[in-house]
Amino acid sequence: MALLAGGALLLAAGCSSQEGAESTAGQGASSPAGSRKTGSSASAPSSPSASRPAADLPPAKGSVKVVSTLTEGLDSPWGLTALPDGDLLVSSRDKGTITRVDAKSGKKTLLGAVPGVAPDGEGGLLGIAVSPTFGTDHLVYAYFTTASDNRIARMLYDEKGTTPGQLLGAPDTILRGIPKGSIHNGGRIAFGPDHMLYAGTGETGDHGYAQDKKSLAGKILRMTPDGEPLHGNPQADSVVYSYGHRNVQGLAWDSHKQLWASEFGQDTWDELNRIVPGGNYGWPDAEGKAGEKGFLDPVAQWKTSEASPSGIAYAKGSIWMAGLRGERLWRIPLSGDESKEPLAAPQSFLKGKYGRLRTVLAAGGNKVYLVTSETDTRGTPKPGDDKILVLEVR
């Protein structure tokens, strides 16, 4: 699929070793390919992905409209997920709590604190997800940092309970031993189209973890809802799905059930990667589009000042990616096939308008939720921060 505007499509922008020394007109970005090493890209097993007819492709240029502020006054919000009735659950990284937000009124109800959360730097209560069979099991999953590790646990949510703050059952840990650090804890979790649980982890600042297949750090993990490895993983006895990651921050699937992930680079390139099982994404030997044999290059890359990507979502044929240091929302239109490039040059929206942006959640059609992140110790909070914004995107 040819790129638009005759330009090399390469997004400008990467991310520093932390979330952000670490955003309405849309802006495109382009930059020369480059990174640490050169060579030819490696192949890896991939998910089937059929090309879409041209009529079904997203437009080259998109748009974003902020419809409303659903709620505000959130403290260090990080994870966001939707309940079957459309209401939202949001996690507080530093307080270790989960709050329900009414999707119509924005009213907040505290479910409770997750026992064992030990906030430290970029660690704390991070990603959350609702069981794909929530209607019968009422389980909420959380990825969080403890005094000794990062882990994933599930808790029973008592929707009929009447005492705010006491609506969560005791955590049932399904996966423990993910290395922790003051930086690069990963933390995004999501259930995929296969109803399996995926998690993005970070390498904690220890570069050796990313290429070590025996370590759970610097990886994307795939597991059953009980935390067990399953058929289709590169190694039958391991939850490791892909490796060579520095700090995975966003997970989303497109209409072809293809998995995408956003990732912090170091000082040069942040990345959006098309994830294939068993793929090696290069860190620490390659950063950005290195063309190094044996590694998979990102589909798009950004310079540090324009991204520091966090959560991503798929809506209206595009990946929508929140930027922390970049303080903007990126739109990356997809071609719908296995192309190594987006359909057209990515655009940025909301630059600097709402500060640091943490999480994006698709809500059906052209509706998207966007969570700000000014109260995470790296922002400059204003009255009302942090917020959940309701967007219309195209």
Side-chain angles (χ1 to χ4, degrees):
M1 185 65 64
L3 291 183
L4 255 201
L9 167 255
L10 251 222
L11 296 92
C15 171
S16 61
S17 61
Q18 300 188 20
E19 284 185 3
E22 327 189 9
S23 242
T24 273
Q27 298 177 344
S30 63
S31 60
S35 193
R36 305 188 171 198
K37 294 189 177 181
T38 59
S40 59
S41 297
S43 61
S46 62
S47 303
S49 180
S51 298
R52 286 185 291 176
D56 294 336
L57 296 174
K61 298 290 185 181
S63 65
V64 170
K65 178 182 178 181
V66 179
V67 176
S68 64
T69 298
L70 176 61
T71 197
E72 57 185 23
L74 298 171
D75 187 307
S76 59
W78 209 100
L80 187 72
T81 190
L83 292 165
D85 67 0
D87 283 359
L88 304 175
L89 300 182
V90 58
S91 64
S92 168
R93 184 192 71 183
D94 297 341
K95 287 187 173 296
T97 57
I98 298 177
T99 297
R100 181 169 183 157
V101 179
D102 188 286
K104 294 180 179 179
S105 69
K107 178 184 176 181
K108 294 176 287 188
T109 301
L110 179 66
L111 271 59
V114 178
V117 175
D120 176 22
E122 294 173 12
L125 179 56
L126 303 173
I128 54 176
V130 169
S131 167
T133 53
F134 182 85
T136 56
D137 61 32
H138 305 287
L139 292 174
V140 175
Y141 287 70
Y143 181 117
F144 57 94
T145 310
T146 73
S148 59
D149 64 0
N150 285 300
R151 62 184 60 178
I152 300 172
R154 57 189 177 188
M155 297 154 284
L156 183 66
Y157 171 22
D158 180 9
E159 286 194 280
K160 296 182 179 179
T162 58
T163 307
Q166 299 181 31
L167 304 177
L168 291 177
D172 170 25
T173 299
I174 65 166
L175 184 68
R176 67 181 72 236
I178 304 170
K180 60 164 280 188
S182 60
I183 59 172
H184 306 173
N185 289 284
R188 198 69 63 181
I189 59 173
F191 280 95
D194 55 2
H195 289 185
M196 296 298 109
L197 183 63
Y198 294 72
T201 73
E203 35 77 297
T204 74
D206 185 333
H207 294 179
Y209 281 140
Q211 292 293 323
D212 180 358
K213 294 182 182 180
K214 294 182 179 180
S215 172
L216 298 179
K219 309 294 189 297
I220 291 176
L221 312 177
R222 176 176 181 256
M223 67 200 79
T224 69
D226 296 323
E228 298 295 328
L230 70 160
H231 177 73
N233 282 4
Q235 295 181 326
D237 61 346
S238 173
V239 296
V240 172
Y241 193 65
S242 64
Y243 66 108
H245 297 289
R246 186 170 183 267
N247 193 19
V248 176
Q249 291 288 288
L251 300 171
W253 288 262
D254 63 24
S255 58
H256 293 284
K257 301 182 181 180
Q258 170 61 55
L259 175 59
W260 298 83
S262 60
E263 180 173 345
F264 284 142
Q266 183 163 278
D267 299 318
T268 310
W269 300 116
D270 290 335
E271 301 177 355
L272 177 68
N273 286 298
R274 179 180 177 276
I275 303 301
V276 296
N280 182 350
Y281 291 82
W283 182 257
D285 300 304
E287 181 182 355
K289 296 194 173 188
E292 172 72 6
K293 185 177 181 180
F295 302 142
L296 293 172
D297 280 347
V299 168
Q301 64 185 26
W302 294 258
K303 289 182 180 177
T304 306
S305 60
E306 297 186 0
S308 295
S310 191
I312 61 174
Y314 176 79
K316 303 302 289 185
S318 298
I319 294 291
W320 300 85
M321 186 181 80
L324 290 165
R325 183 180 177 187
E327 296 189 357
R328 67 199 77 179
L329 179 68
W330 284 97
R331 173 187 184 263
I332 305 97
L334 303 181
S335 63
D337 58 20
E338 296 183 8
S339 171
K340 295 180 180 179
E341 301 289 355
L343 175 65
Q347 290 174 275
S348 67
F349 299 89
L350 311 179
K351 181 181 177 182
K353 190 169 183 180
Y354 296 97
R356 294 161 59 82
L357 304 179
R358 172 69 66 179
T359 298
V360 195
L361 179 68
N366 66 341
K367 181 179 178 181
V368 167
Y369 292 110
L370 178 63
V371 182
T372 67
S373 190
E374 286 290 287
T375 59
D376 67 348
T377 73
R378 290 180 178 159
T380 306
K382 297 177 181 178
D385 284 336
D386 271 308
K387 305 176 178 73
I388 299 176
L389 306 173
V390 182
L391 310 181
E392 287 182 359
V393 302
R394 297 193 184 278

